[in-house]
Amino acid sequence: MSSSTEKAPAPDGGRAARSDHLGHVIFITAAAAMGGFLFGYDSSVINGAVVAIRDRFDVGSEALAQVIAAALIGCALGAATAGRIADRIGRIRCMQIAAVLFTASAIGSALPFALWDLAAWRIVGGFGIGMASVIGPAYIAEVSPPAYRGRLASFQQAAIVIGIAISQLVNWAILNLAGGDQRGDLAGLEAWQWMLGVMVVPAVLYGLLSFVIPESPRFLISAGRTEQARKVLAEVEGSHADLDARVAEIEHAMRSEHKSTFKDLLGGRFGLLPIVWVGIGLSVFQQLVGINVIFYYSSSLWQSVGIDPTSSFLYSFTTSIINIVGTVIAMIFVDRLGRKPLALIGSVGMALSLGTAAWAFSYTTGTGDDITMPDLQAAVALVAAHSFVLFFALSWGVVVWVLLGEMFPNRIRAAALGVAAAAQWVANWLITVTFPSLADWNLSGAYVIYTVFAVLSIPFILKWVPETKGKALEEMG
């Protein structure tokens, strides 16, 4: 933005002005993004328990994949319904419901008496994750000053990747306490049970933080609580903002809209409005490149190509660190370069990395527990996997969440975001449940498929994805 824009409030209510209370806004954003932390933690913590669950319940690859993917069923349901729930009872209440579901899921998953019981508790936690995946970006977009909105929206993905890394660190620590045995005894429970149960701590923290952050000003205005909305806007946008103009702007936008429902998304050539299809496309491509194969299966993946269990846990943790580094890069550049350039850089980098990994995995030999790779190809596979995670994190990992929070017109934002997020969970489920079978069939072939989707994402970005950098939410559509 130009310096003249930053010096004085604009006629639009100062939406380009810098916030006087940036520290407070960052705290609010970080608290809301705790849902993202739990998303990352819950989705990745299972990585350390895969082998133990297979052994404990004596199941094959297909049944194991169903249990791991069970959470994603709940995620899709939670994402599909969260928008309507949030419009009725508010964003904060949704966060509190999600926190309760996270807590219950952590306890239930740690103490299952059967395989179906474990799957059921993962569905409960998944519902909470689905809600948080919708409410987090929407809430952050609604409370963020536009000058900082891209970077603050990046907090959601930052929280996800930190949650992934912390879960791997906790898994590694618990594994060491149990003498390197995922089924080792610790205070009467097996190590993998502790891995799943520790999520109680961040789940309770998320619930507590939801009581100390303000409700979204847009929800407050929609509920007729205009004075409270003015106070929140003053908190987050600072003294440079013309509060009367900002309230009037939001009220004007709301007068021309109604509570969004699925019916509002209909009307395009292929059933849905074009912008909704773009949102669905972003969500689906983000998953079909296979990123969650790394986070759900990396420990067992590396063990399947001949790497010992201790090293496999270490590599899972290092990919999590690379994930954080890439996310920080994205947070720095998302408002400088824009959303589309970052996405394009990521797509090209992911395609090259995945193609390289596919080549390396084609050199695996052996079957069952007796699988090996030549040293050169093993090293290339590790580098390619880390490179893939880096390019995903600095682009699609952040950009998709930012775009989904920004790109839809106000009149359909909640419903459209819910549909797009639900599509993301369905695609995530598809990749998660098919990978074990694909890997058994041909690991290299699986990575060729992911490479194809990375390549296809390039023309998709160029032709259909809008650039939302620097625009106010009221300008969308």
Side-chain angles (χ1 to χ4, degrees):
M1 290 197 175
S2 66
S3 57
S4 61
T5 305
E6 296 169 4
K7 286 178 182 177
D12 60 8
R15 63 184 176 221
R18 302 284 182 176
S19 172
D20 294 353
H21 308 110
L22 185 58
H24 182 57
V25 176
I26 290 173
F27 170 77
I28 292 171
T29 304
M34 271 297 295
F37 178 93
L38 285 160
F39 164 18
Y41 194 101
D42 184 74
S43 62
S44 185
V45 72
I46 195 70
N47 190 359
V50 168
V51 175
I53 292 171
R54 184 200 301 267
D55 183 56
R56 166 76 175 268
F57 297 104
D58 191 24
V59 294
S61 295
E62 292 187 5
L64 181 67
Q66 293 291 345
V67 173
I68 293 170
L72 303 176
I73 298 171
C75 289
L77 294 172
T81 57
R84 295 189 68 181
I85 295 172
D87 282 344
R88 291 191 176 189
I89 65 175
R91 283 55 166 155
I92 298 299
R93 288 288 179 266
C94 269
M95 293 180 194
Q96 291 164 355
I97 291 171
V100 171
L101 294 174
F102 281 130
T103 303
S105 173
I107 296 170
S109 297
L111 303 170
F113 52 82
L115 191 65
W116 69 265
D117 181 46
L118 174 60
W121 284 114
R122 285 187 54 73
I123 291 173
V124 170
F127 197 96
I129 291 174
M131 291 182 70
S133 73
V134 171
I135 299 308
Y139 175 85
I140 292 169
E142 290 174 354
V143 300
S144 299
Y148 296 98
R149 195 177 62 233
R151 277 165 284 182
L152 292 173
S154 302
F155 275 42
Q156 173 78 1
Q157 181 63 18
I160 291 172
V161 299
I162 291 171
I164 291 170
I166 294 297
S167 73
Q168 297 306 307
L169 186 60
V170 170
N171 283 356
W172 177 82
I174 292 173
L175 187 69
N176 277 272
L177 288 173
D181 182 2
Q182 292 181 30
R183 296 200 61 190
D185 181 75
L186 284 175
L189 296 177
E190 295 183 4
W192 69 271
Q193 293 177 277
W194 283 105
M195 292 177 186
L196 300 182
V198 166
M199 195 177 71
V200 163
V201 176
V204 171
L205 178 60
Y206 179 48
L208 293 175
L209 286 172
S210 70
F211 286 96
V212 297
I213 59 176
E215 181 56 88
S216 156
R218 285 175 175 80
F219 171 75
L220 291 172
I221 290 173
S222 73
R225 295 149 64 182
T226 304
E227 283 307 308
Q228 287 179 258
R230 286 173 59 87
K231 291 178 182 178
V232 175
L233 288 168
E235 283 183 42
V236 299
E237 298 199 9
S239 61
H240 293 292
D242 184 338
L243 298 182
D244 290 333
R246 287 293 289 123
V247 169
E249 181 181 29
I250 295 170
E251 287 179 332
H252 174 74
M254 288 182 170
R255 277 196 298 270
S256 61
E257 67 185 46
H258 59 280
K259 297 293 184 183
S260 57
T261 67
F262 184 76
K263 288 183 180 179
D264 297 316
L265 308 183
L266 303 177
R269 181 185 301 177
F270 300 103
L272 300 174
L273 295 172
I275 193 65
V276 179
W277 281 117
V278 174
I280 291 171
L282 283 167
S283 290
V284 169
F285 271 118
Q286 189 198 49
Q287 297 303 315
L288 294 186
V289 295
I291 187 62
N292 282 313
V293 167
I294 297 292
F295 298 123
Y296 295 162
Y297 294 110
S298 60
S299 291
S300 56
L301 170 65
W302 297 124
Q303 290 176 51
S304 74
V305 293
I307 294 173
D308 66 87
T310 302
S311 295
S312 72
F313 267 71
L314 174 63
Y315 295 142
S316 295
F317 178 64
T318 57
T319 55
S320 299
I321 298 302
I322 292 293
N323 200 14
I324 293 174
V325 171
T327 301
V328 171
I329 293 171
M331 292 175 71
I332 293 171
F333 289 105
V334 68
D335 279 330
R336 297 181 183 181
L337 292 180
R339 286 56 161 156
K340 288 184 70 169
L342 270 185
L344 286 169
I345 290 169
S347 290
V348 172
M350 288 190 298
L352 293 172
S353 300
L354 287 165
T356 303
W359 170 81
F361 286 133
S362 70
Y363 283 82
T364 57
T365 57
T367 57
D369 295 328
D370 186 24
I371 296 179
T372 59
M373 287 178 70
D375 289 345
L376 172 61
Q377 281 74 20
V380 169
L382 282 170
V383 171
H386 284 72
S387 173
F388 166 54
V389 171
L390 176 65
F391 278 108
F392 176 87
L394 65 80
S395 60
W396 282 74
V398 166
V399 167
V400 169
W401 289 110
V402 173
L403 283 170
L404 292 181
E406 293 179 337
M407 64 187 285
F408 300 117
N410 274 341
R411 66 183 179 82
I412 65 168
R413 179 170 294 118
L417 185 54
V419 168
Q424 186 172 121
W425 294 119
V426 171
N428 191 339
W429 175 85
L430 180 65
I431 290 296
T432 302
V433 81
T434 58
F435 176 73
S437 297
L438 283 174
D440 288 345
W441 163 68
N442 188 313
L443 183 58
S444 178
Y447 273 80
V448 168
I449 293 171
Y450 305 148
T451 303
V452 169
F453 284 115
V455 171
L456 290 175
S457 71
I458 297 172
F460 173 76
I461 298 164
L462 291 171
K463 185 171 178 62
W464 286 294
V465 175
E467 179 58 78
T468 58
K469 173 186 173 185
K471 294 183 179 179
L473 294 181
E474 285 69 35
E475 293 179 48
M476 305 301 174

